[in-house]
Amino acid sequence: MTSLPLHSIGVEKLRGVGPLLSAKLQKLGLYTIQDLLFHLPLRYIDRTKITAIGGVQPLTEVVIEGEVRGSDVVFGRRRSLVCRVQDHSGLITLRFFHFNQAQQQGLQPGTKVRCFGEVRRGKSGLEMYHPEYQLLNQSQPPALAETLTPIYPATEGVTQQRIRDLCGQALKLLEQQGIEDWMPAALNNGSSNYCLVDALHLLHNPPPGTALNLLAEGEHPAQQRLASEELVAHHLSLLRLRQKIQHQAAPALLPNQSATERFLAQLPFTLTGAQQRVTNEISADISQPIPMLRLIQGDVGSGKTVVAALGAVQAVANGMQAALMAPTEILAEQHRVNFESWLAPLGIRIAWLTGKFKGKGREVQLAAIADGSAQIVIGTHALFQEAVAFHNLGLTIIDEQHRFGVHQRLALRKKGAVIDAQIDEEGYGEASTPHQLIMTATPIPRTLAMSAYADLDCSVIDELPPGRKPIETVVLNDLRRNDVIERVRASCQDGRQAYWVCTLIEESDVLEAQAAEATAQELQLLLSELSIGLIHGRLKPKEKVQIMQAFKAGEINLLVATTVIEIGVDVPNASLMIIENSERLGLSQLHQLRGRVGRGTQSSHCVLLYSAPLSGNGAARLKIMRETNDGFKIAEKDLEIRGPGEVLGTRQTGDMQFRIADLQRDAHLLPEVKRMAIMLLQDYTDNVDPLIGRWLGHSEQYGQA
Ligand code: ADP
Ligand code: MG
C-alpha cells in the first residue's frame, strides 16, 4: 500500500489525538502531519547536562544537582519556602512562593535534589524561583535528556509535553516515508547544503553538542536553510498574487499631453526631478492594459499628492474615473481641497464620500459616481467598504500613509474586485481591474520593502521641493516648559504658526482628548493674546475639518492637538512643532509629526519635550531625531530598535510573522530569496503551490487575489 504524503494525513491519525485535541491543534494552524513538522520550536533549553553550582551564570536555564543544606519558611512581603542547595563547587538558593506541606517536608536537609530553572541574582546571591525539581533516590539517578529540549509555540490546553510527543510521532513518519523537497537543488547556489529532512530532524531534536548559541541566534545552518525556504514561500505568495492580478485586463490609459500640460500650467510650482521621474513611471504603467501595482515611497513633504493627481488626470483624460482613498477624514478633506483647486480649472468634477457623510448630500454624490458625472472620487475607506457603484473606475489611489498593513492592503484589493464585478454586471463590457497606486509616507527600509511589498513596483520620490530648510530639532527636559511657551509666543507674534502635540501612554481617545483639552486651557491662560485651537479624535469629523481650515487660513495661531494630526496635514506657514512626552513615541511617528513643519520657506523648529528619567531606548530615539531629518535613515534605525513587525505597523494583525525567519537577522538571505522565488515561478511552476501551502497554508489572506 502506498502511503499518503504527509501533507494529506490529518493530525487525528496520530496516537492520542481525539476531536478535542484536534480542534485545539487547529488553533495553532496544525491540521496535518506536515504542519507539525513545520511547527518549529521557538527556542531550546539544555537539560542534557548538570552544571556545577559554582559555574552557573545568572539569567541562564540550567540543571543543577546538590544536597539540601537548610530549608526555612520565611515571612517577608510574601511567605516563601527558602532552600539552600550545595554541591562540591558552591551554594544556591531555591525560592518557592507556592508550596505545600509535602514539598516542605520533602526538601529536608540532607536530601539530594536535581533542579531545573532559570538562575537569577537575588538577595542571597544566586537564586532559582520555582525550579522544577526531583528528589534523588541514590539507587537510581534518573536519566538526563538526550537532546536539547525544544520549546514550541503552544496554546491553552496543549502542553509542551504533548506537542513534543506529537512532533516525535510526526518525525517517525518522516523517517519512514520522507517528504518532498520543493526547493530544486539546481537553484541552490551552495550557500546551504543542509537537506530538508536533516534540517527538520535537527531542529525538533537537536543532538547534545549542537551549538546552542547558534540555535538561540537562529544562525544554525539548519535554521538558515529553513528560514530561506520560508522567505521564498512568502515571497512567492506575493509574487503569485501579483501574477494573478496582472493576468486580469486593465484599461489602457494613454498619456494625454494637452491635459497634462494644462494641469501643470496652473500649478503654483514646477515638479521636482524626482516627481517628474515618478510621474513618468506611473504614466507608462497605466498606459498598458495590465493593472499597475505601484507603491510610491516619499518622505513627508516630498510632494506625493500632486504626482497622484497627475495619474488621476491621465485616467480622466481617457474617459475613466479615478478614486483616491485617505486613511482619515482630515486628510481626505485636505486632498479634496487640493484636488479641487488643481482640477476645477480643467473642468474635472470631484465627488466626496466618507462614512459620516449621510443623507441627501450623499445620495447626490453616489448618483454622480454611478452615472460618471463625477470623474474623481475622494474619500476615506468608506469608498471601498460599501457597495459604491462606479461608472468606470480606471485608477485607485490609496494614500496609505503607513496606516494600512499588508493584510488590509490585500483586503482592499478584494474590495476592488467587488467594484469590478459591479462594472461587469452593469454591462460596461469586459470586467477590468483598475490600476492601483499606493502612497506611503513612511519610508520602508529596503530589506523590508523587498519582502513586504514584493507584489508592488516601487517608485521613490527622493528629493524635497526646493527652498525647504531642514527642520532644526532640540530635545528638552519638560522642566523647561516655560521657556518653550515663550518661544511659541515669539514665533506666533512673528506671524508664524505652531503645533503643540499632547501624547499619552494609553491608547485612549477619551484620556488623550482630556489631556489635550487641559493643555489647551493652560496654554490659553499663559498665551492669552494668541488664538488657540484644539483638535483631537473625539471631535466630529466636521469640527475637525473646520478647525483645520481655520488653522490653514491663519485664524488660529497655535493648534493644540493629539496625534490625530500625525498624518498628511499640510499647513506651510506652521514652522514650530512642540511634542510633549516625545520619549513615548516611536521614531516613525515622531518623524511624521515633525514633518508637519518645514513645509514652507522659513526655517522650522521642532522641540521634543521629555520627562526625565529617559530610558536607554527613549534617549536613543530622541538622539536620532536630533541628528537627522532623513526619513529613510530614521526608518533603518527604527527597524534596528523595534523590529520589522512594528515598523510595518502590522504587529497586531499578526502580519509578516514567520515561523523561523526573521527579516532583520536574515536580511542577508533576501537577494538570494528573491532570485530563487523568481526562478521557481518561471521554471518550477508546479512547486509553487505546494511550497506556499507548506509554509503559509492556513493563512488565507496570502496568495488569494
Ligand atoms: P506628501 O508627500 O507628504 O504627501 P504633499 O503632497 O502634501 O507631501 O506636499 C507637501 C507640500 O509641498 C504641499 O504644500 C505641496 O503643494 C507642496 N509641493 C509639492 N510639490 C512641490 C514642488 N515641486 N515645489 C514646491 N512645492 C511643492
Ligand atoms: Mg501626503
Side-chain angles (χ1 to χ4, degrees):
M1 188 189 90
T2 53
S3 42
L4 288 168
L6 297 181
H7 66 263
S8 302
I9 307 178
V11 283
E12 66 283 352
K13 291 284 174 329
L14 294 178
R15 200 175 353 98
V17 185
L20 215 64
L21 181 56
S22 166
K24 285 177 183 157
L25 291 172
Q26 284 187 17
K27 279 201 193 147
L28 289 167
L30 304 175
Y31 298 79
T32 67
I33 305 299
Q34 170 172 285
D35 293 339
L36 273 170
L37 291 173
F38 285 83
H39 190 62
L40 297 166
L42 295 168
R43 62 192 185 91
Y44 302 88
I45 51 184
D46 187 354
R47 304 175 75 153
T48 63
K49 60 177 192 292
I50 293 164
T51 304
I53 292 174
V56 301
Q57 297 292 324
L59 303 178
T60 56
E61 289 177 310
V62 290
V63 182
I64 55 149
E65 237 176 61
E67 194 177 308
V68 177
R69 287 293 169 198
S71 177
D72 302 292
V73 176
V74 177
F75 295 88
R77 231 178 332 146
R78 288 168 74 187
R79 196 175 77 109
S80 58
L81 174 65
V82 172
C83 242
R84 278 163 301 283
V85 173
Q86 189 175 33
D87 70 359
H88 63 278
S89 66
L91 193 72
I92 195 164
T93 300
L94 316 183
R95 206 177 275 277
F96 300 88
F97 294 108
H98 309 280
F99 59 94
N100 56 34
Q101 196 86 35
Q103 276 178 304
Q104 192 181 342
Q105 273 160 9
L107 289 165
Q108 283 310 304
T111 315
K112 282 202 145 179
V113 285
R114 181 186 289 171
C115 310
F116 172 80
E118 191 188 35
V119 178
R120 314 186 197 184
R121 220 183 280 285
K123 273 193 268 235
S124 56
L126 293 179
E127 301 189 349
M128 276 180 169
Y129 287 22
H130 281 278
E132 289 174 38
Y133 70 91
Q134 295 168 287
L135 302 181
L136 296 184
N137 173 342
Q138 251 100 356
S139 57
Q140 41 172 23
L144 285 160
E146 277 176 18
T147 62
L148 294 172
T149 310
I151 305 289
Y152 290 97
T155 185
E156 214 176 294
V158 189
T159 60
Q160 288 296 331
Q161 199 53 49
R162 175 73 72 163
I163 298 182
R164 267 174 228 150
D165 170 62
L166 297 178
C167 286
Q169 293 186 52
L171 288 167
K172 285 240 168 64
L173 288 171
L174 175 66
E175 220 164 290
Q176 285 163 18
Q177 62 179 90
I179 196 167
E180 196 92 38
D181 187 346
W182 301 113
M183 296 289 289
L187 287 192
N188 198 327
N189 66 355
S191 59
S192 166
N193 32 28
Y194 241 91
C195 86
L196 178 62
V197 172
D198 290 349
L200 289 172
H201 274 293
L202 184 130
L203 293 181
H204 284 285
N205 266 329
T210 307
L212 199 56
N213 57 335
L214 285 185
L215 277 186
E217 299 296 328
E219 282 166 2
H220 192 282
Q223 286 167 312
Q224 290 282 293
R225 160 71 171 80
L226 291 184
S228 105
E229 180 171 324
E230 183 177 28
L231 289 167
V232 168
H234 273 258
H235 209 79
L236 277 173
S237 74
L238 289 171
L239 291 183
R240 198 183 54 174
L241 185 66
R242 176 187 170 84
Q243 223 181 25
K244 275 191 185 165
I245 292 173
Q246 296 207 318
H247 268 122
Q248 296 159 5
L253 307 170
L254 301 175
N256 183 312
Q257 211 175 341
S258 82
T260 306
E261 275 169 9
R262 270 194 295 154
F263 175 86
L264 292 174
Q266 50 82 46
L267 268 190
F269 48 76
T270 49
L271 297 187
T272 63
Q275 283 171 320
Q276 190 61 62
R277 173 168 45 75
V278 173
T279 298
N280 293 342
E281 285 166 356
I282 295 167
S283 173
D285 275 4
I286 64 179
S287 64
Q288 300 297 313
I290 304 164
M292 168 175 75
L293 294 166
R294 189 168 281 280
L295 176 73
I296 307 184
Q297 288 196 65
D299 211 344
V300 283
S302 60
K304 293 181 285 293
T305 318
V306 70
V307 170
L310 272 156
V313 166
Q314 189 164 327
V316 172
N318 282 267
M320 303 222 37
Q321 291 175 306
L324 167 58
M325 184 185 71
T328 66
E329 305 253 347
I330 293 185
L331 201 56
E333 167 68 15
Q334 182 177 288
H335 283 324
R336 180 172 77 106
V337 170
N338 277 332
F339 272 56
E340 258 168 7
S341 75
W342 291 335
L343 299 175
L346 304 188
I348 295 176
R349 280 176 312 279
I350 296 169
W352 164 248
L353 212 60
T354 70
K356 304 270 164 60
F357 181 36
K358 300 247 153 74
K360 195 91 195 200
R362 181 186 185 84
E363 297 299 313
V364 172
Q365 303 287 331
L366 285 173
I369 297 168
D371 69 15
S373 56
Q375 294 128 307
I376 293 182
V377 186
I378 298 180
T380 56
H381 45 279
L383 267 187
F384 292 88
Q385 273 170 349
E386 296 165 34
V388 178
F390 285 85
H391 179 63
N392 57 1
L393 186 61
L395 170 67
T396 54
I397 303 163
I398 302 171
D399 197 1
E400 181 177 29
Q401 304 277 4
H402 195 51
R403 278 294 165 98
F404 305 109
V406 181
H407 277 179
Q408 280 158 306
R409 179 156 54 80
L410 298 185
L412 286 173
R413 280 202 190 141
K414 286 187 196 160
K415 298 273 158 47
V418 171
I419 295 169
D420 306 337
Q422 279 169 3
I423 294 172
D424 203 24
E425 265 167 30
E426 289 171 19
Y428 294 100
E430 293 262 299
S432 80
T433 301
H435 297 282
Q436 292 186 38
L437 185 61
I438 293 166
M439 301 190 276
T440 172
T442 304
I444 304 154
R446 217 177 57 85
T447 50
L448 276 191
M450 241 163 84
S451 35
Y453 293 94
D455 52 336
L456 302 176
D457 296 308
C458 189
S459 296
V460 182
I461 304 185
D462 50 4
E463 183 185 350
L464 292 180
R468 298 272 170 85
K469 302 211 177 78
I471 304 162
E472 207 172 291
T473 300
V474 291
V475 176
L476 287 183
N477 189 316
D478 63 12
L479 296 172
R480 305 262 314 268
R481 211 157 180 266
N482 285 338
D483 299 347
V484 176
I485 291 171
E486 286 316 309
R487 195 154 166 186
V488 171
R489 191 196 307 279
S491 172
C492 291
Q493 276 169 351
D494 264 2
R496 271 166 288 157
Q497 290 166 283
Y499 295 96
W500 188 293
V501 179
C502 308
T503 59
L504 272 190
I505 305 178
E506 288 110 310
E507 291 255 329
S508 154
D509 270 6
V510 180
L511 293 181
E512 207 171 52
Q514 283 169 357
E517 257 161 46
T519 305
Q521 278 167 12
E522 180 210 345
L523 290 172
Q524 186 69 78
L525 279 178
L526 296 168
L527 297 165
S528 54
E529 75 277 24
L530 299 186
S531 155
I532 297 183
L534 171 64
I535 191 162
H536 56 67
R538 303 276 293 169
L539 295 182
K540 297 211 175 71
K542 214 165 160 185
E543 295 171 314
K544 285 189 219 169
V545 166
Q546 276 165 2
I547 288 173
M548 284 317 301
Q549 278 167 351
F551 189 55
K552 195 150 191 171
E555 291 153 20
I556 291 172
N557 307 115
L558 172 64
L559 184 63
V560 176
T562 57
T563 49
V564 296
I565 60 145
E566 176 193 341
I567 34 177
V569 172
D570 183 44
V571 180
N573 188 48
S575 62
L576 178 57
M577 163 70 60
I578 318 291
I579 305 175
E580 278 195 285
N581 299 114
S582 57
E583 77 277 11
R584 292 173 183 167
L585 300 183
L587 274 175
S588 79
Q589 204 177 6
L590 286 170
H591 182 62
Q592 287 294 314
L593 283 168
R594 180 171 62 181
R596 298 311 108 215
V597 297
R599 299 181 153 242
T601 43
Q602 71 276 54
S603 48
S604 291
H605 299 269
C606 175
V607 179
L608 300 175
L609 286 172
Y610 67 89
S611 45
L614 272 181
S615 71
N617 245 341
R621 283 200 299 268
L622 297 184
K623 180 162 176 278
I624 293 160
M625 289 301 293
R626 210 175 48 213
E627 285 170 357
T628 181
N629 275 301
D630 179 335
F632 281 90
K633 267 190 207 147
I634 289 174
E636 294 286 350
K637 289 288 182 189
D638 208 19
L639 179 59
E640 267 170 42
I641 296 178
R642 291 195 305 161
E646 296 277 357
V647 172
L648 287 170
T650 54
R651 180 128 155 200
Q652 277 86 4
T653 59
D655 239 356
M656 296 303 285
Q657 285 202 354
F658 295 98
R659 291 164 193 232
I660 189 162
D662 173 323
L663 283 179
Q664 213 171 339
R665 180 194 68 209
D666 302 329
H668 64 281
L669 297 175
L670 290 172
E672 187 58 18
V673 161
K674 196 173 167 185
R675 187 187 69 88
M676 289 197 284
I678 292 169
M679 297 295 287
L680 272 156
L681 214 51
Q682 274 172 11
D683 301 337
Y684 299 87
T685 322
D686 292 345
N687 293 21
V688 171
D689 279 343
L691 189 57
I692 294 174
R694 176 170 283 175
W695 288 97
L696 297 103
H698 310 292
S699 45
E700 289 182 9
Q701 318 285 51
Y702 282 97
Q704 291 182 14

